[in-house]
Amino acid sequence: MDARFSGPCAETRKEAVLPTGTDRVRRKPLARFLALAGFAMALASCQMFTPPDVQESGFQPSNKPITVDNVAANSKLAEMAKAQHPRILATYGGEYSDPKLERMVAKVVGSLTVVSANPTQTYRITILNSPNVNAFALPGGYLYITRGLLALANDSAELAAVIAHEMGHVTANHGLQRQQLEAEEGFATKVVSDVLGDSPTAKAALIRGKLRLAQFSRNQELEADGIGIKSIGEAGFDPFAAGRFLQSMSAYTDFRSISGATDASLDFLATHPNTPQRIDLAQRHARQFGAPGVGTRDRDAFLAGIDGLLYGDTPEEGYVRGETFLHPGLGVSFSVPDGFIIDNSAAAVTATGPGDIAIRFDGVSIDKSRSLTDYIRSGWVAGLDESSVRQETINGNEAATAHASAEGWQFDIAVIRAGGQVYRLLTAAPSASTSLDAVARSVSGSFRILSATEKAALKPLHIRVVTVRPGQTMGSLAAQMVGVDRKLDLFRVLNAMSPGAAVSAGDKVKIITDK
């Protein structure tokens, strides 16, 4: 969560938390409660669905792709993409700068460009400073890949497969085709406006929706798969890398789906269901180049490039450490119960857990002389039970709590004043749930001010590549990781190792550490 939430933007985010006024008629409270974290992200990602009736024929790249260097061919489309670049950077945390990483990625792109359908076309690839596992393309040859995706990949061939897939969208003019679907785009814009109103997150979502950041149809995804696998095979990379990375993303999805976490929309990969059918299709494309083992993986060069890569949240957004959120800039912390997944974004911190219970944490600026009970009663909470409003003290901090209910949902509201700022912890549960009070009290009761020592001790996490020494096992290597839970499971996911796999002396593996 961005520490800079004071001023008018904070009020906008505030009004988007619980339904008020006519909102109660138009939308479900929980959907609106989680909209900032879930629905907008669903509009942002390259769709990876596999249609039930797969058609492999007719997947040919356009011989007149819209690229950065031929703006005159379609000035409106390419200029629109160019204009959105700064906004995309703002939406995804800016550009991630690491010269050796950029050189490694550029080398892969160069290899693919040489064998592409139009080797003279220009691409601009940007590494985004986001922990989300994401890649997408805009008309005009603008390609984007997140550091979160780079952390999940394990060799240059897998990275090439991702980039070639996005290049396939460009060379096949998928962006142009999507721009022509005005009716669908207009519908998406209306949905985003209805759900998110005029918030900054809504504006970001509209940017994504308008440019169709990977909102491609199922057949277009398969077409991009076919083009991409053909490209990496011709470039000399292992063509089976595409299937491997699809499997890694599937494993990552399973890892994120902890028992009890029911809101898959909080994870980008919810829009990337990597079905066995699609993985099988990718492998069939790859077999056109030979049996498994053909082509190069270039693993050492890739691992050298990502060694030291920032992992997870940035200091400006605060850190998620297992079931605890800590923000060194704001100097505050809170924890969620076992079985909850925390999702940290610039607008707010959200968490979901068993029984469809959801939690949201954010901040708002209000006058220092205004009482917190008066603030709760000021009209921003729909269905407020006036008799439930209470003045309290939470870990030495002035606070107020209340309950509300609307459209089959019950809400607990805790507002806490600390360090000159007001923070809100909002918990939602189905009306029939008997767990709301226990969860809400556990979360609000965990809110506290961090000491100077604690703030100084918080450090960002990084990917580190280590060489396995004699006697080391997956378990002992995973135990070296810090700042994450379920260490062994995450170690296996990051290194694409099955539960029955083993490491050998001399192997290079990825671990997560704050050093």
Side-chain angles (χ1 to χ4, degrees):
M1 184 180 74
D2 197 323
R4 300 164 294 173
F5 51 58
S6 59
C9 289
E11 285 299 310
T12 302
R13 284 194 290 272
K14 175 197 72 176
E15 296 305 332
V17 176
L18 294 178
T20 59
T22 57
D23 292 327
R24 286 178 290 178
V25 177
R26 294 184 296 169
R27 60 197 79 145
K28 295 181 179 180
L30 187 60
R32 192 157 190 261
F33 182 83
L34 293 176
L36 295 181
F39 189 86
M41 184 60 69
L43 293 180
S45 308
C46 182
Q47 298 293 329
M48 301 187 83
F49 291 91
T50 302
D53 184 17
V54 177
Q55 302 294 326
E56 298 184 60
S57 61
F59 290 170
Q60 298 295 328
S62 168
N63 58 5
K64 294 182 180 180
I66 307 301
T67 59
V68 180
D69 57 343
N70 63 359
V71 172
N74 195 308
S75 58
K76 181 179 179 181
L77 186 64
E79 285 292 348
M80 183 185 297
K82 182 179 179 180
Q84 299 311 312
H85 180 71
R87 302 184 189 181
I88 291 168
L89 292 181
T91 301
Y92 284 88
E95 187 171 355
Y96 184 76
S97 180
D98 180 339
K100 70 179 178 65
L101 180 66
E102 292 163 6
R103 286 193 295 270
M104 183 270 289
V105 173
K107 181 181 177 181
V108 172
V109 174
S111 299
L112 294 172
T113 301
V114 170
V115 300
S116 68
N118 183 0
T120 63
Q121 70 189 41
T122 301
Y123 290 97
R124 175 174 180 171
I125 187 162
T126 301
I127 302 173
L128 297 171
N129 190 18
S130 170
N132 293 324
V133 178
N134 201 348
F136 51 87
L138 289 184
Y142 287 80
L143 308 178
Y144 300 88
I145 189 168
T146 63
R147 58 175 171 82
L149 187 145
L150 290 169
L152 185 61
N154 273 283
D155 54 48
S156 296
E158 291 183 5
L159 173 60
V162 172
I163 295 174
H165 174 97
E166 299 306 331
M167 291 172 70
H169 283 309
V170 176
T171 59
N173 281 341
H174 287 164
L176 177 60
Q177 295 170 17
R178 297 301 292 176
Q179 285 293 321
Q180 293 170 342
L181 299 178
E182 295 292 341
E184 182 177 345
E185 180 175 327
F187 174 74
T189 299
K190 183 178 185 301
V191 170
V192 172
S193 298
D194 285 348
V195 174
L196 299 180
D198 193 35
S199 70
T201 305
K203 294 175 182 177
L206 289 173
I207 293 169
R208 300 165 183 160
K210 186 174 183 180
L211 287 176
R212 318 309 267 171
L213 303 184
Q215 277 282 315
F216 298 107
S217 72
R218 295 176 178 182
N219 280 337
Q220 285 177 328
E221 287 303 322
L222 291 174
E223 182 174 5
D225 277 352
I227 295 171
I229 293 170
K230 181 175 183 291
S231 295
I232 64 173
E234 291 178 348
F237 290 109
D238 174 12
F240 290 89
R244 285 202 311 275
F245 193 68
L246 286 172
Q247 290 172 329
S248 289
M249 290 205 298
S250 180
Y252 182 75
T253 303
D254 293 341
F255 172 80
R256 288 279 291 169
S257 302
I258 321 176
S259 175
T262 57
D263 186 19
S265 68
L266 291 182
D267 197 310
F268 152 81
L269 291 176
T271 60
H272 290 63
N274 302 300
T275 63
Q277 182 188 23
R278 185 176 181 192
I279 294 173
D280 178 67
L281 178 57
Q283 291 171 335
R284 278 189 278 152
H285 278 300
R287 279 193 287 271
Q288 295 177 12
F289 290 88
V294 66
T296 180
R297 293 190 179 187
D298 198 22
R299 177 173 166 82
D300 287 348
F302 177 82
L303 292 179
I306 66 168
D307 189 25
L309 177 71
L310 180 66
Y311 182 86
D313 301 316
T314 66
E316 294 75 21
E317 299 292 345
Y319 301 121
V320 176
R321 296 289 186 263
E323 291 158 346
T324 300
F325 173 76
L326 310 99
H327 200 302
L330 299 175
V332 300
S333 171
F334 73 91
S335 299
V336 298
D338 291 343
F340 279 72
I341 294 179
I342 300 177
D343 186 80
N344 183 20
S345 71
V349 181
T350 58
T352 54
D356 289 335
I357 298 179
I359 300 160
R360 177 187 168 102
F361 170 78
D362 66 3
V364 62
S365 294
I366 66 173
D367 192 284
K368 293 182 180 180
S369 63
R370 189 178 191 183
S371 73
L372 297 181
T373 53
D374 177 60
Y375 169 64
I376 288 180
R377 292 189 178 102
S378 62
W380 60 277
V381 180
L384 176 67
D385 178 358
E386 294 277 352
S387 65
S388 70
V389 180
R390 296 282 187 275
Q391 183 75 37
E392 295 188 20
T393 299
I394 295 178
N395 290 328
N397 301 296
E398 177 190 353
T401 61
H403 284 87
S405 60
E407 298 181 31
W409 293 91
Q410 53 180 324
F411 303 91
D412 181 276
I413 303 101
V415 183
I416 307 168
R417 180 174 272 135
Q421 179 65 52
V422 173
Y423 301 95
R424 301 178 306 181
L425 279 162
L426 303 135
T427 307
S431 295
S433 174
T434 59
S435 302
L436 177 65
D437 287 345
V439 171
R441 295 290 72 80
S442 171
V443 175
S444 61
S446 71
F447 179 90
R448 63 186 184 86
I449 303 296
L450 295 173
S451 68
T453 301
E454 288 176 313
K455 288 189 289 186
L458 287 172
K459 298 177 182 178
L461 302 178
H462 296 273
I463 292 286
R464 293 296 181 190
V465 177
V466 298
T467 301
V468 179
R469 299 191 302 271
Q472 288 187 313
T473 65
M474 284 201 295
S476 63
L477 289 162
Q480 296 180 24
M481 303 206 298
V482 300
V484 296
D485 56 359
R486 302 172 63 210
K487 295 179 181 181
L488 181 57
D489 290 340
L490 182 56
F491 177 86
R492 287 170 173 158
V493 170
L494 287 176
N495 292 285
M497 294 181 176
S498 65
V503 294
S504 301
D507 289 348
K508 292 182 178 179
V509 294
K510 296 178 287 183
I511 64 171
I512 298 169
T513 177
D514 59 1
K515 299 178 182 178

